[in-house]
Amino acid sequence: MIVAEQKPIEEIIQEIQDDHSVLILGCNECVTVCEAGGKKEVAVLASALRMHFMQQGDQKQIEEKTLERQCDSEYLEELRAQVDRYDSVLSLACGAGVQFTAEKYPSTAIYPGVNTKFIGVTEEQGYWTERCQACGQCILAKTGGICPVSRCAKRLLNGPCGGSTQGKCEINPELDCAWQLIIDRLSSLDKLDDYEELVPIKDWSPDRAGGPRKVVREDVTS
Amino acid sequence: MSANTPSRLEKVLANGHFAVTTECGPPRGSDLGVITQKAEYVKNHVDAINVTDNQTSVTRLCSLSCCIHLKQLGLEPILQMVTRDRNRIALQSDILGAAAFDIHNILCLSGDHQSFGDHAQGQNVHDLDSMQLIQTARHMRDEGAFLGGDAIQRPPQMFVGAAANPFADPFEIRVPRLAKKVKAGAEFIQTQCIYNLDKFEEWMKGIRDRGLHEEVAILAGLTPFKSAGMARFMKNKVPGMDVPDHVVKRMADQPKEKQPEEGLKICTESMQRLKEIEGVSGFHIMAIEWEQKVPELVEGAGLHPRPEI
Ligand code: SF4
Ligand code: SF4
């Protein structure tokens, strides 16, 4: 999923400062799972903001809503009837949701309420870690199912670097060295010999480097 | 091994001599006088001089311009290049820049992470990794072509090297990793500073068992300690460094004013022992901000004078 983290409240206050009515818009997908922008977080943030502005003598109107998804036109339509009532929408969806909401409602200001962090997993409650950077050409088959693009601080494809120490990465002793994980896994699969195969120079054009990407599927287009 | 390039370092090795290289770090400014001075200290005692590329991610005068300067002083530079800061366009372009001045050696590295340096907020590039930079340099030389396929007029003629850290983890792939660098096209290797000689010997045995020492020249890396504090720092703070306790103790047991001398002694003794190991083809002495001691170390190890080529 996409993992996000709520922005510091001071930054959110700055964003909506000058508006009289604000809708806080949650999303029921990834940001709900990572507890950054679901219905619950919308409610908590809304009351914190109401409290803050009340103390300032600011009669700001703050309302709440959570959509099934903000990255889908169908669900975003649910906002159409009421969006004009607000000066701005504070979206707690990932960056994609924020932008898609803005695209649908060109005359309403849309602000981000979270920092979108990465594509990752919930390792345990309250602990999320990165697994993928959407490089566009997955090489996990070559690397024991562990991604060096997202998990090695230097995205080395033929690693590990000389800084790998006792399983940890040179940049942070709390971070697993991706290449230690890859080597461990290749050995448990009895495939350590695969390590000696040179991973060819990567084509980064399907990555961010190639410009904004799209996927088109003729077979499912309506 | 016969020489493929005009590199002096390659010829020294091809003629069966122990090679001696050293390294010099560029200044944090544009004064080439610093390089001239460091070169002056070592010029009669080494075969080639590495110039580091923004080492530990601290921004410095570029390796290429210092290499050109060394070349103009009549010395033999080794251009260090890290993949952290440049993509394949810039790397190939800088290789040509070096080739234009007849710089005949390159050391291919991935580089320390930028979080260690003075611009921790910067992006890193890592379009290629160090293995792939080796392949790139060899491709440019041997095929006379860019990675993109187009022909290069007057291709680079570089002796291609890489680093190896026998002490980093996971230890079991340290020999396979070298094999991979050799497969990528590395012709010489400069190792991480060696303090744990037993572990180095174990690694060398693994290298010999696979015959890799016959395919690649291994230059054993050394850095003399200036003080017990430095030994402790290297032990505890530098990732991938293996400094055994007894070495730190040996330094610490000396009074402060005797420690530099002890550090040099440890280094000379290590070189003497390393010379006896089959498959060690030379030394890479990284006397950090202590270049003036390189001649003493080279002489102490019985490696002076350097062969005429
Ligand atoms: S290789 Fe690319 S697509 Fe596959 S997990 Fe890594 S970043 Fe994601
Ligand atoms: S220590 Fe491991 S994860 Fe960290 S940069 Fe080096 S190879 Fe990558």
Side-chain angles (χ1 to χ4, degrees), chain A residues 186-201:
Chain A
L186 288 175
S187 21
S188 67
L189 296 172
D190 210 12
K191 282 188 167 175
L192 205 49
D193 288 348
D194 287 8
Y195 171 71
E196 288 193 37
E197 225 176 276
L198 282 160
V199 175
I201 292 175

Side-chain angles (χ1 to χ4, degrees), chain B residues 202-222:
Chain B
E202 191 185 334
W203 181 73
M204 278 307 301
K205 182 174 182 306
I207 299 293
R208 284 194 306 275
D209 287 348
R210 292 187 53 170
L212 293 168
H213 64 303
E214 278 156 13
E215 293 178 64
V216 71
I218 295 171
L219 310 188
L222 293 144

Side-chain angles (χ1 to χ4, degrees), chain A residues 153-167 170-172 177 179-180 183-184 187 192 194-204, chain B residues 88 110-113 115-116 124-132 135-136 147 165 168-170 172-174 176-177 179-180 183-184 192 210 239-240:
Chain A
K154 301 176 191 167
R155 63 179 194 195
L156 303 178
L157 301 185
N158 291 287
C161 78
S164 179
T165 307
Q166 293 175 350
E170 72 170 23
I171 69 162
N172 179 349
C177 166
W179 273 97
Q180 175 79 54
I183 298 303
D184 291 349
S187 21
L192 205 49
D194 287 8
Y195 171 71
E196 288 193 37
E197 225 176 276
L198 282 160
V199 175
I201 292 175
K202 189 164 167 68
D203 174 1
W204 290 109
Chain B
R88 65 191 75 179
S110 52
D112 296 314
H113 193 264
S115 58
F116 292 106
N124 56 16
V125 179
H126 297 300
D127 178 22
L128 307 182
D129 64 18
S130 58
M131 296 278 178
Q132 296 166 342
Q135 290 177 301
T136 302
L147 290 176
N165 184 356
D169 292 316
E172 70 267 31
I173 58 111
R174 289 291 142 189
R177 181 150 172 76
K180 208 171 170 179
K183 203 175 186 186
Q192 173 69 289
R210 292 187 53 170

Side-chain angles (χ1 to χ4, degrees), chain A residues 131-140 143 146-150 202:
Chain A
R131 288 294 184 278
C132 175
Q133 283 179 0
C135 76
Q137 179 55 54
C138 194
I139 56 162
L140 287 175
T143 56
I146 290 154
C147 170
V149 176
S150 56
K202 189 164 167 68

Side-chain angles (χ1 to χ4, degrees), chain B residues 4-309:
Chain B
N4 297 313
T5 73
S7 159
R8 179 189 152 85
L9 174 62
E10 185 180 18
K11 291 198 181 106
V12 169
L13 291 161
N15 290 353
H17 302 289
F18 273 115
V20 182
T21 59
T22 188
E23 107 180 355
C24 100
R28 301 209 67 206
S30 59
D31 183 6
L32 281 167
V34 180
I35 299 293
T36 313
Q37 174 68 72
K38 289 182 177 180
E40 198 56 41
Y41 291 140
V42 301
K43 66 175 191 211
N44 295 321
H45 287 79
V46 300
D47 304 309
I49 305 172
N50 289 47
V51 182
T52 51
D53 179 6
N54 296 295
Q55 75 270 27
T56 62
S57 304
V58 172
T59 317
R60 291 165 185 277
L61 179 56
C62 73
S63 175
L64 178 53
S65 87
C66 299
C67 284
I68 293 170
H69 182 63
L70 288 176
K71 183 83 193 185
Q72 288 172 342
L73 292 173
L75 301 171
E76 170 98 347
I78 301 175
L79 177 74
Q80 291 199 188
M81 283 191 122
V82 302
T83 60
R84 177 192 61 227
D85 308 320
R86 278 164 290 200
N87 71 1
R88 65 191 75 179
I89 299 171
L91 289 166
Q92 292 180 94
S93 170
D94 282 356
I95 289 175
L96 289 184
F101 288 89
D102 290 329
I103 289 165
H104 297 308
N105 307 286
I106 181 174
L107 188 79
C108 305
L109 307 164
S110 52
D112 296 314
H113 193 264
Q114 72 277 10
S115 58
F116 292 106
D118 64 337
H119 290 84
Q121 295 176 335
Q123 265 287 7
N124 56 16
V125 179
H126 297 300
D127 178 22
L128 307 182
D129 64 18
S130 58
M131 296 278 178
Q132 296 166 342
L133 181 58
I134 298 168
Q135 290 177 301
T136 302
R138 284 295 302 265
H139 180 82
M140 291 174 77
R141 178 184 97 193
D142 300 342
E143 311 301 324
F146 293 104
L147 290 176
D150 293 343
I152 298 173
Q153 288 156 18
R154 194 175 183 271
Q157 288 187 286
M158 288 189 182
F159 188 41
V160 179
N165 184 356
F167 310 107
D169 292 316
F171 187 67
E172 70 267 31
I173 58 111
R174 289 291 142 189
V175 171
R177 181 150 172 76
L178 187 88
K180 208 171 170 179
K181 287 196 171 174
V182 172
K183 203 175 186 186
E187 297 161 305
F188 72 98
I189 295 290
Q190 293 173 322
T191 78
Q192 173 69 289
C193 323
I194 302 162
Y195 300 105
N196 186 341
L197 280 94
D198 295 339
K199 195 156 181 188
F200 181 76
E201 282 191 344
E202 191 185 334
W203 181 73
M204 278 307 301
K205 182 174 182 306
I207 299 293
R208 284 194 306 275
D209 287 348
R210 292 187 53 170
L212 293 168
H213 64 303
E214 278 156 13
E215 293 178 64
V216 71
I218 295 171
L219 310 188
L222 293 144
T223 291
F225 291 134
K226 269 183 182 167
S227 65
M230 177 180 173
R232 269 184 229 108
F233 179 83
M234 300 272 258
K235 180 182 174 69
N236 300 321
K237 294 280 185 302
V238 182
M241 192 74 74
D242 182 345
V243 187
D245 290 328
H246 67 88
V247 180
V248 179
K249 183 166 183 306
R250 192 170 151 188
M251 287 298 292
D253 283 350
Q254 295 294 321
K256 211 162 180 63
E257 65 286 359
K258 288 259 173 69
Q259 287 175 359
E261 198 184 306
E262 192 66 16
L264 293 168
K265 217 164 126 199
I266 295 174
C267 193
T268 310
E269 286 170 20
S270 301
M271 285 168 79
Q272 278 155 353
R273 180 166 158 198
L274 291 164
K275 262 173 97 176
E276 304 305 317
I277 301 175
E278 189 192 345
V280 170
S281 303
F283 296 95
H284 179 51
I285 306 171
M286 298 161 273
I288 305 161
E289 299 304 326
W290 214 16
E291 288 83 1
Q292 60 272 39
K293 294 294 176 191
V294 169
E296 186 179 326
L297 291 168
V298 175
E299 286 169 21
L303 293 166
H304 189 74
R306 303 305 312 139
E308 295 290 334
I309 294 292

